[in-house]
Amino acid sequence: MSLSQWQWETATAGAVAGFATVAAMYPLDIVRTRFQVNDGRVTNFPAYKNTAHAIFTITRLEGLKGLYAGFLPAVLGSTVSWGLYFFFYGRAKQRYSKNREEKLSSGHHLASAAEAGALVSLCTNPIWLIKTRLQLQNPLHQSRRYSGIYDALRTILREEGWTALYRGLGPGLLMQVSHGAIQFTAYEELCRIMVDYKEKKQKSEGASNLLNSFDYALLGGSSKIAAILITYPFQVIRTRAQQRPSKEGIPRYMNSWHVVKETAS
């Protein structure tokens, strides 16, 4: 199998995985987005007590379709993001390994992941903005509702200009670039701690066979949770920055820094 063929197959596999993930967990994504923008200062969002209450309220007021608002751009964004991520990641590793005989170092893998994440953010930010706005539409909204992804794109371009499609890009870039770095660092550190612990427990010199499949799954899950917890504020900032302006054309937040100041105050 050629390197080029492997890259395209990897990108396809990533795209399929992205679609499956979104389809299975989408109602929870709706709830998360609405909780992220509900700062208690606006009146055009229903008040939710918890996740179960949010799902019940959305279903009662908007029907089951309310739990899948913005599903098309979500699927499109996730599929494109994962496909592009694996493609850019493979290309970056190929470039770093050019004219090198030894294997790539951990730093090269980390740099490749950061580069891929940044490029994906630049390419897909308009899709995520449209998804966020469709998810936030509810019966309390006073602005004319978007009828779909095309109507949302056309309305945003007409009323706000093309630059509005890149609102929230800053925190999105920071989240994409730092997430992989944090997860990688946490994984390596947790792996070292676990190996040291098992070495002392088993009094064994070799560390190659100390970890089993469950250990690796635990390490991967723990490092992922650590990365999510640390980078979650970037998600909140991006979501709040991407909200639709009022019907008078006044945005809730002027930029991402405005979000930080208003949220912290």
Side-chain angles (χ1 to χ4, degrees):
M1 181 187 297
S2 66
L3 181 60
S4 176
Q5 182 181 358
W6 178 85
Q7 288 175 343
W8 282 110
E9 289 185 355
T10 303
T12 302
V16 173
F19 172 82
T21 301
V22 172
M25 307 301 294
Y26 193 75
L28 293 179
D29 188 55
I30 287 273
V31 174
R32 180 186 64 177
T33 300
R34 296 197 177 185
F35 270 124
Q36 286 175 341
V37 300
N38 195 346
D39 57 5
R41 304 177 186 178
V42 293
T43 58
N44 60 343
F45 288 105
Y48 305 126
K49 298 177 181 178
N50 49 50
T51 301
H53 180 252
I55 293 176
F56 174 78
T57 303
I58 293 171
T59 304
R60 180 170 58 85
L61 297 179
E62 305 171 48
L64 288 175
K65 67 178 182 179
L67 294 175
Y68 285 88
F71 182 70
L72 179 58
V75 170
L76 178 62
S78 184
T79 304
V80 172
S81 292
W82 280 109
L84 288 178
Y85 182 86
F86 282 108
F87 177 75
F88 288 140
Y89 181 67
R91 297 287 292 184
K93 288 199 301 181
Q94 180 185 6
R95 188 175 66 255
Y96 286 129
S97 62
K98 194 173 183 179
N99 300 324
R100 293 174 60 93
E101 296 182 359
E102 66 274 13
K103 292 184 179 179
L104 294 179
S105 65
S106 300
H108 285 114
H109 285 286
L110 195 58
S112 299
E115 180 182 322
L119 289 172
V120 168
S121 290
L122 289 170
C123 294
T124 60
N125 196 80
I127 301 175
W128 296 126
L129 180 133
I130 292 173
K131 185 213 76 164
T132 298
R133 294 197 175 183
L134 289 174
Q135 286 182 329
L136 294 178
Q137 293 188 134
N138 64 80
L140 299 181
H141 258 172
Q142 297 179 353
S143 302
R144 184 186 69 84
R145 293 173 63 91
Y146 300 129
S147 61
I149 183 172
Y150 175 72
D151 180 55
L153 176 62
R154 184 179 59 182
T155 303
I156 292 170
L157 290 175
R158 184 181 69 249
E159 296 181 355
E160 305 172 57
W162 68 270
T163 55
L165 295 173
Y166 286 89
R167 291 181 64 87
L169 178 61
L173 281 171
L174 289 173
M175 181 176 64
Q176 285 283 2
V177 173
S178 62
H179 188 98
I182 294 170
Q183 183 174 353
F184 181 84
T185 303
Y187 181 88
E188 291 294 322
E189 186 63 21
L190 290 173
C191 185
R192 182 188 63 79
I193 293 173
M194 184 174 287
V195 168
D196 289 343
Y197 171 76
K198 289 204 169 188
E199 274 188 332
K200 293 178 181 179
K201 186 176 180 180
Q202 299 179 10
K203 296 181 180 179
S204 172
E205 294 182 358
S208 58
N209 297 322
L210 289 177
L211 302 182
N212 53 40
S213 300
F214 176 78
D215 293 330
Y216 284 116
L218 181 62
L219 289 170
S222 300
S223 60
K224 182 68 175 179
I225 291 174
I228 291 174
L229 290 175
I230 294 174
T231 60
Y232 188 77
F234 293 132
Q235 288 191 36
V236 175
I237 295 170
R238 182 180 69 172
T239 301
R240 292 189 176 185
Q242 291 180 338
Q243 292 182 80
R244 186 177 185 178
S246 65
K247 62 180 182 179
E248 292 81 15
I250 303 174
R252 176 71 179 84
Y253 300 101
M254 303 306 298
N255 49 50
S256 298
W257 178 240
H258 187 210
V259 176
V260 176
K261 291 192 297 183
E262 286 291 305
T263 303
S265 62

